[in-house]
């Protein structure tokens, strides 16, 4: 029997006891996570009342921890969670090189440990919208990421992981990832051009991620939804209007969840049963955006909101989600 896996989203001092920590992401200041395990601290303000919040993966299975180059990881027979932080200044020159080296190390870790599938990556880049040598840093990140996918002979389209990419106010390039021995079924959004097919006006190298994916995790049929913003086709909509962007983002989330639910044999994922992480560019927008999300998905969903920069300068909000895992019996 497959051991259970729990996704925890919320204040980490309320963590359910008695389980093994696989890994996660902790938001809210440099000391966002004082505990053990591969938990990526992300130095962004938490906006919904808590000083800190985390997205953590817990399991009943025995966990082994290790290091591979810059990667710290924990793994079960089924899953591996890894984190790495790379200081660009010590990495030769550019964010592009740092990203390429980071993803190369990530893929080497998966290969060396025997987890063929990269399901999900969380990417946090200092100053994502700044230009380095005339090119936006998010675009440099995309070039480095794609180069590493190519070099490790992974597809650049189709079977690519779910992801998010957000900007922080400084610090290191910080990446967390979830890999598995199980397959991952990517799901695209019918309202959006696949990100890996964005035209070159958004950068010479397209972003390498899928809109969502279905995956067997801990014996459950999970849904992992990538960071989602007010993009229809390939264009950003509602520049300067955060509430219109929030509504468009919710329409995109609903569309991608519907596309996932339409898969033959897929279980149904309801919007009100997902865990949401909301990124707002401006902290002052958080209350209104969260109220709109609550109105759309109900009171039952778990929601964390942080302040972070979104990967296009005109985008003011991005929301990611996941569901289907055991979680609700926790205190
Ligand atoms: C977008 O749809 C918004 O580069 O990994 C969302 C999710 C976004 C993931 C990534 C970027 C990424 O293009 C930005």
């Amino acid at each position: 029997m497959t051991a259970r896996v729990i996704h925890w989203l919320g204040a980490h001092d309320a963590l359910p006891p008695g389980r093994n920590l696989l890994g996660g992401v902790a938001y809210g200041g440099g000391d966002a996570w004082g505990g053990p395990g591969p938990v990526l601290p992300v130095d962004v303000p938490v906006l919904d009342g808590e000083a800190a919040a985390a997205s953590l993966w817990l399991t009943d299975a025995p966990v082994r921890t290790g290091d591979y180059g810059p990667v710290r990881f924990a793994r079960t027979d089924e899953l591996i969670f890894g984190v790495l932080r790379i200081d660009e200044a010590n990495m030769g020159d550019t964010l592009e090189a740092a990203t390429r080296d980071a993803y190369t190390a990530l893929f080497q870790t998966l290969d060396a440990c025997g987890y063929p599938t990269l399901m999900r990556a969380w990417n946090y880049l200092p100053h994502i919208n700044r230009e380095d040598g005339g090119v936006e840093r998010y675009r440099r990140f995309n070039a480095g990421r794609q180069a590493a996918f190519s070099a490790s002979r992974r597809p650049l389209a189709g079977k690519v992981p779910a992801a998010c990419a957000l900007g922080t106010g400084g610090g290191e390039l910080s990446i967390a990832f979830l890999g598995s021995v199980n397959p991952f079924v990517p799901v695209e959004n019918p309202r959006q051009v696949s990100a890996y097919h964005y035209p070159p006006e958004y950068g010479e190298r397209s972003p390498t991620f899928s809109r969502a994916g279905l995956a067997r995790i801990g014996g459950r049929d999970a849904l992992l939804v990538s960071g989602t913003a007010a993009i229809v086709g390939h264009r950003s909509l509602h520049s300067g209007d955060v509430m219109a962007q929030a509504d468009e983002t919710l329409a995109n989330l609903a569309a991608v969840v519907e596309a996932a639910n339409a898969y033959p044999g897929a279980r149904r994922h309801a919007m009100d049963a997902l865990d949401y992480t909301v990124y707002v560019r401006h902290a002052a927008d958080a209350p209104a955006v969260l109220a709109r999300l609550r109105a759309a998905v109900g009171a039952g969903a778990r929601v964390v909101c942080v302040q972070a920069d979104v990967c296009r300068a005109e985008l003011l909000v991005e929301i990611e989600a996941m569901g289907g895992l055991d979680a609700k019996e926790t205190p």
Side-chain angles (χ1 to χ4, degrees):
M1 207 197 93
T2 311
R4 265 154 45 105
V5 172
I6 287 177
H7 178 245
W8 173 259
L9 186 69
H12 51 69
D13 52 8
L15 261 183
R19 314 219 181 259
N20 300 320
L21 175 66
L22 191 62
V25 179
Y27 304 102
D31 213 16
W33 179 253
V39 176
L40 186 73
V42 178
D43 191 358
V44 292
V46 178
L47 298 175
D48 38 7
E50 306 283 352
S55 162
L56 298 171
W57 299 78
L58 308 167
T59 176
D60 287 338
V63 166
R64 287 167 288 164
T65 57
D67 294 271
Y68 193 95
V71 178
R72 286 183 59 211
F73 63 81
R75 62 194 182 109
T76 65
D77 289 345
E78 181 192 1
L79 298 168
I80 182 168
F81 197 98
V83 302
L84 70 163
R85 307 178 78 187
I86 291 194
D87 185 350
E88 286 165 62
N90 296 337
M91 268 314 292
D93 34 20
T94 63
L95 178 60
E96 185 172 331
T99 305
R100 190 195 58 224
D101 291 357
Y103 269 86
T104 299
L106 186 165
F107 290 136
Q108 285 171 346
T109 303
L110 292 176
D111 292 345
C113 296
Y115 299 82
T117 309
L118 176 60
M119 291 185 166
R120 177 64 156 97
W122 291 260
N123 302 289
Y124 300 95
L125 292 61
H127 309 297
I128 193 169
N129 302 125
R130 236 180 231 180
E131 290 197 353
D132 273 2
V135 177
E136 189 189 31
R137 284 166 56 76
Y138 175 60
R139 297 177 179 207
R140 292 204 175 272
F141 166 84
N142 279 323
R145 174 168 57 179
Q146 203 190 90
F149 273 76
S150 285
S152 77
R153 298 171 198 289
R154 290 176 185 254
L156 303 181
K159 237 178 176 43
V160 295
C164 58
L166 286 305
T168 63
E172 296 169 315
L173 169 64
S174 302
I175 299 171
F177 63 93
L178 178 68
S180 178
V181 299
N182 295 332
F184 177 77
V185 179
V187 175
E188 290 300 296
N189 188 333
R191 302 180 87 232
Q192 297 183 304
V193 171
S194 294
Y196 45 75
H197 288 150
Y198 281 164
E201 63 192 276
Y202 302 101
E204 212 171 312
R205 303 281 169 196
S206 302
T208 311
F209 72 94
S210 59
R211 296 298 180 188
L214 295 162
R216 196 88 184 143
I217 299 178
R220 299 279 186 261
D221 289 316
L223 172 65
L224 307 176
V225 181
S226 292
T228 302
I231 294 172
V232 175
H234 55 73
R235 287 182 217 289
S236 310
L237 299 188
H238 318 299
S239 191
D241 184 345
V242 68
M243 295 317 291
Q245 288 193 18
D247 287 339
E248 205 69 64
T249 299
L250 288 166
N252 278 332
L253 286 167
V256 77
V257 170
E258 191 185 317
N261 288 339
Y263 263 78
R267 73 176 261 194
R268 217 190 112 67
H269 293 276
M271 294 284 282
D272 62 4
L274 302 182
D275 295 339
Y276 295 89
T277 302
V278 179
Y279 303 93
V280 289
R281 185 180 292 277
H282 304 299
D285 292 336
V289 169
L290 289 173
R292 194 61 63 90
L293 173 63
R294 282 286 177 209
V297 307
R302 294 188 299 181
V303 177
V304 156
C305 181
V306 303
Q307 188 274 316
D309 294 334
V310 185
C311 66
R312 293 183 186 179
E314 68 278 12
L315 293 175
L316 301 172
V317 58
E318 179 173 311
I319 302 177
E320 65 184 45
M322 78 182 77
L325 296 165
D326 288 312
K328 304 294 187 213
E329 85 300 343
T330 51

